[in-house]
Amino acid sequence: MPFQWFAKTVQLASGSIIAGSGLMHQVRISPMFFPLVMIVQTAGKQLLVFGMLFLFLMLYGLYPGWHWVGLVPVIVTQLILTVVVSAAVAMIIPFARDIANLIPTGLQFVMFMSAVFYNTDIVPDRWRTVFFLNPMATLLEQYRVVLLDQQWPVWSSLGWVMLGSGLTLLVLLAAYRRLAPIYPRVVLE
């Protein structure tokens, strides 16, 4: 479910700046507004999905404990990562519209490289470091640790994803600020 949240958000946000071109020509608005709208929409829907997930976990005998509080930083980290990837993709697509056709394939590739369908224990030790460079693999592992293993998340792993996402977000905000005057012309082409 967390990967679906990520994938759906990136997919929806990817074309959001182009879709918002009409509004961009009527009102002075930051292009970052459009992917953020999609991110907030999918995050709101995901809250309901998490509620259903918690209900199913309790039906299967995995009751909440104090370690479930560790889900909050995992979810916040995923939200920031999702903002970064969605905003980056949405920023690029008006300049290279054909990339929009590659988004579903890229998301599918990331899904297979993130241990959605398999346990990370099967990844050989020599490749684990490389495998966990994928931030979604790290986040999915943290969800498993908290919800299934009923332990606290590995804070160092979560911290690296948060740090990388936070720094990338700062770069993206600067890029959006710089490109804001250009977008109204680019989306018309």
Side-chain angles (χ1 to χ4, degrees), residues 8 23-25 27 34 43 98 100 114 132 134-135 139 149 186:
K8 185 145 187 102
L23 185 60
M24 211 180 312
H25 284 97
V27 182
F34 301 106
D98 289 340
S114 298
F132 283 114
N134 174 357
L139 286 170
D149 299 340
V186 170

Side-chain angles (χ1 to χ4, degrees), residues 67-68 70-71 74 120 132 138-155 157:
H67 59 277
W68 278 29
L71 274 179
V74 176
T120 57
F132 283 114
T138 301
L139 286 170
L140 292 176
E141 182 65 16
Q142 298 314 305
Y143 279 108
R144 284 187 188 106
V145 165
V146 173
L147 294 173
L148 300 179
D149 299 340
Q150 299 188 354
Q151 298 175 6
W152 290 97
V154 179
W155 300 110
S157 298

Side-chain angles (χ1 to χ4, degrees), residues 73-135:
V74 176
I75 292 170
V76 168
T77 303
Q78 180 175 353
L79 178 63
I80 294 171
L81 176 68
T82 303
V83 168
V84 166
V85 174
S86 299
V89 169
M91 181 177 70
I92 293 168
I93 286 187
F95 297 100
R97 295 184 187 204
D98 289 340
I99 291 176
N101 298 323
L102 298 175
I103 299 300
T105 305
L107 288 170
Q108 191 172 26
F109 177 74
V110 171
M111 179 183 68
F112 286 119
M113 298 306 295
S114 298
V116 172
F117 297 113
Y118 54 90
N119 195 327
T120 57
D121 293 339
I122 67 167
V123 177
D125 288 338
R126 65 178 183 211
W127 293 107
R128 287 181 77 75
T129 304
V130 174
F131 179 79
F132 283 114
L133 288 175
N134 174 357

Side-chain angles (χ1 to χ4, degrees), residues 1 41-56:
M1 285 191 221
Q41 279 182 345
T42 55
K45 292 175 185 175
Q46 190 63 27
L47 289 175
L48 295 172
V49 173
F50 275 123
M52 292 184 343
L53 172 65
F54 298 151
L55 180 65
F56 279 110

